[in-house]
């Protein structure tokens, strides 16, 4: 079934981009398909919760046509921050034309960048996305509160990081899309909350097998929404 | 055509080191040294503005007179008299090191300063707080403008400046180095100590840096009040249990006490530890090794006024 749908995309959606047009990709985090804002109440099943911080790195975002690279979109490393609405929109003036039917990006920072010292901008450690006690970027950070968390101040704090085998949590995402100049990508947090509440995973702040298991869900939380 | 480039004091500098040293591991091609960044880094290194209560600077734990170690304290002391869990290591020849801290938890010198700045028992602050405090200082804005061509201070610039200063801490002018350069010669006892050192110690404390900067277990039993298993915590592999970074044995007279937890106060205790670890040495041989180790004291480095706070007008 899945492959059939994918082939349909390949056959019918190879649209050509015009030169000198902006292409924009928007990332929208949701719970139960409702888009979220920070510090508001949401229901995950019968659990109520609120998110105070959601940040993650989107790196090497690019358009592809099947396996052929078409164009890079935005900066090499982009920090998504739910507290900064503009950070959800990544756009690029297009100079070359080309059909595309999937987008590719990584969640997190590659190991080469990890060992190359400090960088300005989105990689600057002032964003709270770098561990101070042991080198490494936090690829994905989700924090908030829920009465269902038996923790201090009912907090959950999920920091996914780790760049060295066997605890590497850097993940590549390939997403089939219908080409247009404005693409919407939904980030469905339900799968992450399933882990937080299902496995009582309220605090995770270091690399290890638990972080790896969470990172393995990343490819499933992104969906193309037109 | 091109704008004037002359309103800058930036002067690219080559790291000075003698011919008997290997090439540094730090990539100076990518990040050259320059005098204004070095000076800025030096000012930051001595400024308690980096700590939460304005009481502790990097130099509080890394004093120039102790080859940038913390003499007399087995474990480091931070803000509100908090006592850490490890001995502050001497800082020199950092351009030849790839991994930092006793367990190698830090993978690049740029990132190292985040650890003491954020540690609740060291400087108790955060890089954000440091950046906003510095951005409120006109003097610092001026210095950052000179060094980076921009008044706005970022975390990356603070860290890069600290790196630049620390990379210039090169210790390469001890008696040993002068012997290597043909400017001096060992006494008989020192020479005998040198031969014994090469036989028993050099695999780990490899000349001329006097460390391979790898990790090893030199047989110290774990201190059960600290339960510090070293590199194990970083790699998660039991084979790394009780492995610590091999320290250089340069400048030992300035940097006591010794080992990751500062458990030994004298070189004699260190040598006694190694003879218990099946390195057979007579007491004369131990004395010879110690006399050789003393040829690794680099007074020129320890008293170099370019590394100190005093003459800075920043």
């Amino acid at each position: 079934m899945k492959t059939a749908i994918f082939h349909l995309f390949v056959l019918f959606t190879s649209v050509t981009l015009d030169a000198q047009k902006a292409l924009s990709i928007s990332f929208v985090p949701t719970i139960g398909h409702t888009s979220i804002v920070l510090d508001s109440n949401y229901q995950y099943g019968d659990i109520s919760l609120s998110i105070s911080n959601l940040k993650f790195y989107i790196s090497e975002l690019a358009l592809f046509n099947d396996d052929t690279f078409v164009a890079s979109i935005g900066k090499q490393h982009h920090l998504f921050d739910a507290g900064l609405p503009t950070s959800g929109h990544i756009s690029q003036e297009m100079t070359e034309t080309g059909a595309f039917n999937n987008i590719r990006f990584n969640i997190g920072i590659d190991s080469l960048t990890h060992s190359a010292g400090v960088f300005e901008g989105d990689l600057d450690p002032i964003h709270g996305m770098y561990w101070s006690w042991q080198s490494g970027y936090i690829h994905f950070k989700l924090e908030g509160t829920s009465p269902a968390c038996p923790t201090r101040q009912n907090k959950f704090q999920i920091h996914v990081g780790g760049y060295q085998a066997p605890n590497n949590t850097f993940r590549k995402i390939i997403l089939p899309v219908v080409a247009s100049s404005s693409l919407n990508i939904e980030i469905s947090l339900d799968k992450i909350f399933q882990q937080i509440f299902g496995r009582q995973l309220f605090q995770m702040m270091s690399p290890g097998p638990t972080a790896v298991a969470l990172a393995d869900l990343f490819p499933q939380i992104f969906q193309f929404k037109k | 055509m091109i704008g004037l480039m002359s309103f800058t004091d930036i002067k690219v500098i080559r790291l000075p080191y003698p011919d008997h040293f290997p090439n540094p591991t730090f990539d100076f091609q990518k990040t050259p040294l320059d005098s204004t960044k070095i000076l800025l880094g030096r000012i930051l290194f001595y400024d308690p503005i980096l700590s939460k209560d304005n009481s502790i600077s990097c130099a509080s734990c890394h004093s120039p007179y102790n080859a940038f170690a913390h003499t007399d304290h087995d474990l480091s002391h931070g803000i509100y008299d908090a006592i850490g869990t490890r001995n502050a290591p001497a800082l020199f020849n950092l351009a030849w090191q790839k991994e930092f801290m006793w367990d190698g938890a830090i993978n690049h010198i740029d990132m190292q300063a985040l650890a003491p700045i954020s540690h609740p028992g060291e400087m108790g602050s955060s890089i954000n707080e440091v950046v906003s405090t510095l951005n409120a200082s006109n003097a610092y804005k001026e210095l950052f403008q000179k060094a980076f061509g921009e008044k706005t201070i970022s975390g990356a610039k603070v860290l890069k400046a600290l790196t630049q200063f620390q990379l210039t801490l090169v210790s390469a002018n001890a008696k040993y180095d002068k012997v290597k350069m043909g400017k001096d010669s060992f006494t008989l006892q020192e020479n005998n100590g040198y031969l014994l050192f090469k036989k028993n110690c050099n695999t780990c404390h490899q000349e001329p840096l006097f460390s391979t900067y790898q990790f090893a277990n030199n047989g110290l039993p774990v201190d059960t009040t600290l339960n510090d298993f070293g590199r194990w915590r970083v790699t998660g592999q039991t084979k790394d249990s009780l492995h610590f970074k091999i320290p250089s044995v340069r400048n030992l007279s300035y940097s006591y006490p010794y080992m990751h937890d500062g458990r030994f106060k004298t070189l004699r205790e260190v040598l006694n530890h190694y003879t218990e670890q099946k390195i057979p040495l007579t007491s004369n041989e131990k004395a010879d090794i110690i006399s050789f180790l003393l040829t690794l004291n680099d007074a020129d480095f320890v008293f170099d006024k370019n590394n100190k706070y005093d003459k800075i007008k920043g």
Side-chain angles (χ1 to χ4, degrees), chain B residues 20 171-181 184 250-251 293-301:
Chain B
H20 62 276
S171 175
N173 212 19
K175 178 171 184 185
Y176 162 86
D177 300 296
K178 290 173 183 150
V179 172
K180 288 281 144 182
M181 293 182 261
D184 204 340
R250 286 175 173 268
N251 297 311
L293 290 174
L294 299 182
T295 72
L296 302 174
N297 289 334
D298 183 352
D300 289 353
F301 169 65

Side-chain angles (χ1 to χ4, degrees), chain A residues 62 99 101 137 145 179 224:
Chain A
N101 58 21
Y137 288 94
T145 53
F224 171 61

Side-chain angles (χ1 to χ4, degrees), chain B residues 44 65 69 236 286:
Chain B
L44 287 168
Y65 298 102
K286 287 189 229 176

